[in-house]
Amino acid sequence: MKLRINALWKNNKTQAAYFVFFMALVCLYFFVDPAKSAYFLRCPLKTFSGYECAGCGVQRAFHLLLHFRFLEAFKFNPLFVLAIPFLVFSLLVKLSKNEKLKIGLQRFLSSKLFVFLVLTIVFVFSLLKNTGFYKDFILHL
């Protein structure tokens, strides 16, 4: 039994470290509200220019998602909230035993098309996020 645990630990150290790190972040964001704490990073673009980037609001949205306040999280960063199902799907595919599906997903994620799509979505979202139309839309949700 001890040999199995040692072998399991030896083969999965990296995954265990990622898991521990992720759980520490989840605990931190669950118990500490980034909107009310000075210890969290602030967006340098917004600090210096006043414009919001595509990542602005992710920390507050993550905190709210952990408290099951989905609409409020969506208001802080819709792109982040909408990306979570795709991230979960990718993780489930990676953990599955279906090699064809894994290879297909890996090919798509490393394709130029995927990179182009992600960069385009982030760029357009960043532009829209700083318009009055976007702010009015989010305000009326």
Side-chain angles (χ1 to χ4, degrees):
M1 181 69 170
K2 187 175 181 181
L3 290 173
R4 283 188 194 167
I5 293 172
N6 286 341
L8 187 63
W9 174 251
K10 192 175 190 178
N11 294 335
N12 297 306
K13 281 183 186 177
T14 304
Q15 289 88 346
Y18 285 137
F19 178 75
V20 169
F21 179 73
F22 179 73
M23 291 311 296
L25 280 178
V26 167
C27 289
L28 175 68
Y29 279 97
F30 183 83
F31 291 111
V32 182
D33 185 355
K36 297 176 182 171
S37 175
Y39 297 110
F40 290 92
L41 296 173
R42 302 285 179 232
C43 177
L45 180 67
K46 187 171 182 177
T47 301
F48 294 117
S49 70
Y51 292 109
E52 293 187 2
C53 71
C56 283
V58 167
Q59 295 181 97
R60 291 169 289 174
F62 187 54
H63 172 78
L64 292 167
L65 285 173
L66 292 173
H67 291 274
F68 300 103
R69 293 164 42 195
F70 300 107
L71 183 59
E72 291 174 66
F74 186 83
K75 287 179 179 182
F76 276 111
N77 196 310
L79 188 60
F80 174 69
V81 174
L82 294 174
I84 290 174
F86 296 105
L87 294 172
V88 170
F89 173 75
S90 298
L91 181 66
L92 290 175
V93 167
K94 188 172 182 170
L95 295 173
S96 78
K97 296 184 189 280
N98 188 335
E99 291 301 319
K100 269 187 159 181
L101 196 57
K102 284 183 188 180
I103 292 169
L105 180 66
Q106 184 60 38
R107 281 188 185 147
F108 176 68
L109 293 178
S110 60
S111 71
K112 291 178 183 178
L113 173 64
F114 177 74
V115 173
F116 177 76
L117 284 173
V118 169
L119 290 175
T120 302
I121 290 168
V122 169
F123 180 71
V124 169
F125 179 69
S126 295
L127 290 177
L128 285 175
K129 196 169 184 178
N130 292 292
T131 64
F133 171 75
Y134 173 84
K135 290 176 173 93
D136 288 341
F137 174 75
I138 290 297
L139 188 66
H140 291 97
L141 281 179

